[in-house]
Amino acid sequence: MPKPDTSETLSIDGHSVRISSPDKPYFTRDVQLSKLDIVRYFVSVAPGALLGIRDRPIVLKRFVDGAEKDPFYQKRAPSDTPEWVRKVTLSFPSGRTADEIVIDNTASLAWIVNLGCMELHPHPVRSGDLDHPDELRIDLDPIPGVPWDDVRRVALEVKALLEENGLTPFVKTSGSRGMHVNVRIEPRWTFTEVRRAALAVSRAIERRMPGVATSKWWKEERQGVFLDYNQNAKDRTTASAYSVRPLPDARVSAPLQWDEVADCDAADFTVLTMPARFAAIGDPHADMDAHAGSLESLLALAARDEAEGLGDAPWPPHFAKQAGEPSRVQPSKAKSATSFSTQMEEGFGRQRFRKQAKKIQEGETSEADAPKKPAARKTRASSKPLLIIAQSPDKPAAEAGLARWKAAHPEAAEHLQEADVLVDRMRGSAYVWYRIRVNLEHVPEALRPPQEAIDPDDDPTRKWREGEPSSGEV
């Protein structure tokens, strides 16, 4: 017997927007909110939410089972996209293309929220020019244990630096543990140049606030608040203003006035409180589009860094190796000598050596022409005592593995600091999985356990590496 249709239809901007399963629970812990509640929230703050996403291609991050289940990412527009929802074709670093949704009005906003999109992830470009960003994004991401006050202090220092360089910054809470500082810029620079400017900002703030702010890409090297310059690389997105984050209190990314930063509490801004705030004060970022600035001063700062020996920094893992980029190997796995790839470039390489040796044996060439055999591959010298504890697409399962490890090694666990537990959210083209590592540098050597069997050990990339079929890109 078919299930009864419980959907509701909303009339918005002259369009009928069908809300399927409107009573589906989206939040059930600290607050009780249904899918329809989330749709109504976005409609109530639509002018502000649209400011951050209008005319921009958007990646769909879909919480189809609510905030308490893992989401999935969808680049391509669904096949049943209404004709009144616009699309634009994007190309990615992989060489692939996709037709992505472009949100222009409240009706199309409500339509993607019905798909489970509580976090809005727009690209920093407009549909008319997909190669030149019009937004510089400074993502302040504190490592575990960093106090909220440090995040606010770093945000205010970023404001000062940007204003010194002729730019007008706007700030918002991330909706999680950090803050975002966004700047409208003239769409004259490539993604690579915008990322280069963001890296210069990150390094300048690190110099101004040593031990409080960091530009270090590798988690094991970070101290304090990480300024994630790589959020400006092509195909990277961050949650835009008024996005709902999957925390138990239904917290949202809240635009702020700068004079609110010193005393604000991110927990004050939720699905339940934001509509009243928006009705009372409007959108603090309403005039953001009127302040498009130039990157020339920041790029001059980047050039000075390079002249002093500070070249590029690591790119995200799905990008091809970039010219001038340092070795893309985390420090704890760095090799103690010249990399094998460099040895191969300097000599003939092992395969060519074997072929040449065979020719000598068969008399086709002389020993005088024989290449020098490449040096033996060097072993890696670990600079950090890291152990891999668990890896799984199921985050609670990985965390349970960490709990079992701590129970098995209570003396070592007692010495761990909060920042010593590294929870890496690994993202593939069609999956998200979690790896948990522990850094034992604060554990006395006599108490350090060896690397044991990883529990659980469910790495979805293993199937790909071993030649099994993957599920493909979502």
Side-chain angles (χ1 to χ4, degrees), residues 16-77:
S16 294
V17 182
R18 178 177 177 271
I19 308 301
S20 60
S21 304
D23 297 326
K24 177 183 284 189
Y26 264 40
F27 291 85
T28 65
R29 296 172 184 168
D30 291 1
V31 294
Q32 308 290 317
L33 294 169
S34 67
K35 178 199 271 193
L36 186 58
D37 291 330
I38 302 301
V39 173
R40 286 173 172 159
Y41 158 76
F42 274 104
V43 171
S44 73
V45 298
L50 287 169
L51 178 67
I53 64 174
R54 184 184 284 113
D55 195 32
R56 301 181 186 279
I58 192 167
V59 175
L60 306 179
K61 185 176 182 181
R62 300 181 60 180
F63 293 83
V64 295
D65 293 315
E68 290 148 20
K69 300 290 185 181
D70 282 339
F72 65 90
Y73 289 85
Q74 181 173 334
K75 293 179 179 178
R76 291 170 174 77

Side-chain angles (χ1 to χ4, degrees), residues 256-317:
L256 304 172
Q257 298 287 358
W258 278 107
D259 60 9
E260 296 181 286
V261 170
D263 299 317
C264 75
D265 184 344
D268 289 341
F269 310 110
T270 71
V271 168
L272 299 178
T273 65
M274 185 55 73
R277 171 182 165 88
F278 187 85
I281 70 169
D283 181 15
H285 295 181
D287 65 341
M288 191 174 184
D289 286 340
H291 295 278
S294 170
L295 284 184
E296 289 176 356
S297 183
L298 290 182
L299 291 173
L301 180 60
R304 288 196 294 273
D305 284 344
E306 291 160 11
E308 294 172 3
L310 278 176
D312 202 355
W315 285 66

Side-chain angles (χ1 to χ4, degrees), residues 47-56 122-126 132-138 162 165-172 181-189 194 232 238 240-241 283 285-296 298:
L50 287 169
L51 178 67
I53 64 174
R54 184 184 284 113
D55 195 32
R56 301 181 186 279
H123 291 271
V125 292
R126 305 284 185 166
H132 298 91
D134 73 335
E135 187 167 84
L136 171 70
R137 297 172 174 177
I138 309 298
L162 292 171
N165 286 274
L167 297 167
T168 304
F170 292 80
V171 65
K172 65 186 181 73
V181 181
N182 293 342
V183 182
R184 285 287 188 269
I185 58 174
E186 299 163 2
R188 295 197 284 125
W189 292 275
V194 175
N232 295 274
T238 57
S240 65
D283 181 15
H285 295 181
D287 65 341
M288 191 174 184
D289 286 340
H291 295 278
S294 170
L295 284 184
E296 289 176 356
L298 290 182

Side-chain angles (χ1 to χ4, degrees), residues 139-152 154 174 176-180 212-214 219 222-228 418-419:
D139 180 7
L140 308 184
D141 183 12
I143 69 171
V146 170
W148 174 244
D149 187 55
D150 282 2
V151 179
R152 295 183 294 191
V154 172
S174 70
S176 184
R177 299 183 302 113
M179 282 188 166
H180 297 158
V212 178
T214 180
K219 287 186 178 181
R222 295 179 191 170
Q223 287 185 322
V225 179
F226 172 49
L227 290 88
D228 190 353
E418 189 170 2

Side-chain angles (χ1 to χ4, degrees), residues 103-123:
I103 300 301
D104 292 317
N105 51 46
T106 306
S108 52
L109 173 61
W111 178 76
I112 64 166
V113 176
N114 178 62
L115 297 178
C117 299
M118 305 185 308
E119 283 186 16
L120 308 178
H121 281 258
H123 291 271

